[in-house]
Amino acid sequence: MSSDTNIRLDKWLWAARFYKTRSIAQQMVQGGKVRYNGQRSKPSRTVELGATVRLTQGYVEKTVVITGLSDIRRSATEAQQLYQETPESEQQREKLIQQRQLANASKAAPPTKPDKKRRRELVQLKNRQSDF
């Protein structure tokens, strides 16, 4: 944990291991994927203890409360001490994971990949359908 109290939002997101690089964190903040206390902000925004950050990682949206400040990227266990995810966010995330698993379970994969002859037949079929 750092004693420096002037830590940028993008640097904190990177140090807390939400994004792999600081430039990705900066792009996410600029793109509106990160909300600080319910509002869009700039990457240079100074973070404070107790602030709420809502961020998107892939398909998952998380809401966390800042519990520690650091501008140095450390191990994952130390990074998890910088924030506390809200119970509502955890429940919503678990619900989305279950929905995605159920949706993927209903998709049946073919038993084998099509061979060269079957691929050609599929291409011809698609070409015939696109002509209409």
Side-chain angles (χ1 to χ4, degrees), residues 62-78:
K62 293 182 181 179
T63 305
V64 297
V65 177
I66 298 175
T67 58
L69 300 176
S70 178
D71 59 350
I72 300 171
R73 190 173 172 99
R74 298 193 188 265
S75 68
T77 54
E78 290 180 35

Side-chain angles (χ1 to χ4, degrees), residues 57-124:
Q57 287 181 300
Y59 297 111
V60 180
E61 190 170 290
K62 293 182 181 179
T63 305
V64 297
V65 177
I66 298 175
T67 58
L69 300 176
S70 178
D71 59 350
I72 300 171
R73 190 173 172 99
R74 298 193 188 265
S75 68
T77 54
E78 290 180 35
Q80 288 176 344
Q81 295 173 358
L82 298 177
Y83 63 90
Q84 177 69 42
E85 188 172 2
T86 62
E88 299 86 23
S89 175
E90 290 176 1
Q91 291 173 354
Q92 184 69 17
R93 189 165 43 90
E94 291 297 324
K95 186 177 171 184
L96 287 173
I97 289 171
Q98 288 177 350
Q99 287 176 351
R100 226 173 321 142
Q101 287 174 347
L102 289 174
N104 288 337
S106 65
K107 296 179 184 176
T112 59
K113 291 173 68 173
D115 59 1
K116 190 171 186 176
K117 182 179 179 183
R118 298 286 176 225
R119 284 196 308 269
R120 287 182 177 166
E121 290 173 355
L122 288 170
V123 168
Q124 288 176 352

Side-chain angles (χ1 to χ4, degrees), residues 22-37:
R22 191 167 159 200
S23 63
I24 293 173
Q26 185 177 24
Q27 291 171 1
M28 291 297 178
V29 174
Q30 288 174 340
K33 304 289 186 198
V34 178
R35 294 195 173 269
Y36 184 83
N37 285 335

